[in-house]
Every structure is written in C-alpha cells, then in structure tokens.
Amino acid sequence: DIQLTQSPSFLSASVGDGVTITCRASQGISTYLAWYQQKPGKAPKLLVFAASTLQSGVPSRFSGSGSGTEFTLTISSLQPEDFATYYCQQLDSYPRTFGQGTKLEIK
Amino acid sequence: EVQLVESGGGLVQPGGSLRLSCAASGFTFSNFEMNWVRQAPGRGLEWISSISSTGSTIYYVDSVKGRFTISRDTAKNSLYLQMNSLRAEDTALYYCARVDDPPYSSSSFLDYWGQGTLVTVSS
C-alpha cells in the first residue's frame, strides 16, 4: 500500500499569511493526487485534483504542485474561512490512501 | 444539483451487522465509480471501498475485506455497504463519494460527498 505523510500535522498561522502543506508518498504516484479541505462537522471538499488542477469554484489563493513522491498545497493569503483540516489522497492505486491530515489553526 | 444522502447508520453490538445506503441524485449514477470513506471520531479520513460504474470491479481496504460488501443498484440510483462482523474499530462516520475521471484530467478524484451516516459499534 502507498503511504502518504503530510507535514506539518498542525499549523498555526494568521489571516493574510501564506502557508504550505507537504504530502510525501512512499512511492511514485505521478500526479494522481488530490487535496481536500474539511471543516468541523462537514464533509470533505475537493480543492485540487491531478496534483495541480484547481477544482471549479475554489479560490485562486489555493494552488497545488508536485509529481512523483512530493506534493504541496499552498494558500497564498489565508482568509478566516480557510482554517480547517486538509488531506491529500493518492488515486494511483488501491487502496486509495489519505494522508493523516494537517490542521490549520488561527494564531 | 448532485446530491448524495447516506442512511442506515446506528448503534450495533460487536459482531453485528448493518447495511448502509447512499441515495444519489442530480447525475447519471450509472456513469460513475462510487467510493465509501469513513472517519473515526476525532480521526482522519480512511478510504474503505470502491465500485466501478458497472459494478464489475470492486476494491476494499484490507481491514474490511471479508466483512464488508459494496454494491450498487442502478435502477434505484443507490450505493450500499453491507457491514458484517462489526468491531469497535469500525465506529466511524461513513461517507459515500462520487469519483470523477474526466478526459481532461490525468487523475480521478472524489468530487461530491454525502454528509455521512454514523455507525457506532459498542456493547
């Protein structure tokens, strides 16, 4: 099974800050990676697919990059609604594993 | 509007069974792969099962193989998860999710999710 390791697991930042979350795969997955945002009590929401393609309706301050084993999700200027937990998921092979999550908190 | 509505969760004793359902609307159900993903209380997301658009190809995570069965009914636009031999560690919120794999993308992705149905396994 492919393992995904996100770093950091917790991130504290202020409104207006830029932040980057990293997702590392235990083996190469090309660009078969998606990023999701989850707020408390809500279902996950797709942000980025194919490593770098922004889902329709997602603000342009979000961006994804990477291929192979290292991927990043960057939020260029944090807004209050961005404080949430973020997950990466690989869709290269089954089981379609998720990273353990990165909780982004307000400083 | 795409909608996925899960039902069938509840409290069950260890060793018991439950059948989860996911009612789909707003899209052509028979054209899409569907997945089940679960989330234990206070924990992260865990992908557990996938069924192809035709139902012919199915995958499970090892921890549920032999105990859970995914299925779909195109006539009813519904996805199911039969859960047998339930354990305390199966306690979680269970989500169904649609998988899209458009020609313009180099990868599939889970684009629509239901709100989840809670399964609690406890004596």
Side-chain angles (χ1 to χ4, degrees):
Chain A
D1 297 359
I2 296 173
Q3 311 301 319
L4 296 181
T5 304
Q6 290 182 230
S7 59
S9 294
F10 297 93
L11 184 54
S12 182
S14 301
V15 173
D17 286 351
V19 297
T20 296
I21 299 167
T22 299
C23 177
R24 289 188 173 86
S26 58
Q27 63 190 74
I29 57 171
S30 184
T31 56
Y32 294 100
L33 190 102
W35 288 96
Y36 303 89
Q37 176 194 67
Q38 187 179 34
K39 295 181 179 179
K42 299 294 187 181
K45 172 188 172 184
L46 176 68
L47 297 176
V48 171
F49 61 92
S52 61
T53 303
L54 210 60
Q55 171 69 337
S56 176
V58 174
S60 59
R61 63 181 179 272
F62 290 90
S63 64
S65 66
S67 68
T69 61
E70 187 152 335
F71 302 86
T72 60
L73 175 71
T74 298
I75 311 172
S76 61
S77 178
L78 282 167
Q79 298 302 300
E81 60 269 27
D82 299 336
F83 292 92
T85 301
Y86 293 85
Y87 295 93
C88 56
Q89 183 196 23
Q90 64 83 17
L91 297 107
D92 176 77
S93 63
Y94 293 91
R96 284 176 165 163
T97 43
F98 288 90
Q100 82 278 14
T102 295
K103 186 173 184 179
L104 177 55
E105 298 179 325
I106 299 176
K107 186 182 287 184
Chain B
E1 177 194 5
V2 172
Q3 283 199 316
L4 298 170
V5 180
E6 303 93 337
S7 61
L11 175 63
V12 61
Q13 292 188 337
S17 299
L18 275 179
R19 189 193 195 206
L20 307 185
S21 300
C22 171
S25 61
F27 64 102
T28 304
F29 182 68
S30 60
N31 287 351
F32 290 86
E33 175 188 337
M34 298 295 294
N35 284 190
W36 286 100
V37 175
R38 69 183 178 183
Q39 187 168 36
R43 306 296 296 274
L45 301 172
E46 180 184 27
W47 177 90
I48 57 170
S49 186
S50 168
I51 185 167
S52 63
S53 57
T54 62
S56 61
T57 303
I58 286 172
Y59 296 96
Y60 300 99
V61 69
D62 282 351
S63 59
V64 309
K65 276 181 190 173
R67 301 188 299 122
F68 290 11
T69 302
I70 191 171
S71 62
R72 62 191 297 159
D73 185 335
T74 298
K76 295 183 178 180
N77 284 347
S78 291
L79 175 72
Y80 304 102
L81 188 67
Q82 177 66 43
M83 311 165 66
N84 298 332
S85 304
L86 282 161
R87 306 166 180 167
E89 54 265 35
D90 296 318
T91 294
L93 187 62
Y94 284 72
Y95 294 101
C96 67
R98 188 183 86 164
V99 179
D100 199 5
D101 189 10
Y104 59 81
S105 173
S106 60
S107 173
S108 57
F109 44 88
L110 279 59
D111 61 348
Y112 287 95
W113 298 62
Q115 286 306 301
T117 187
L118 182 63
V119 172
T120 303
V121 184
S122 174
S123 54

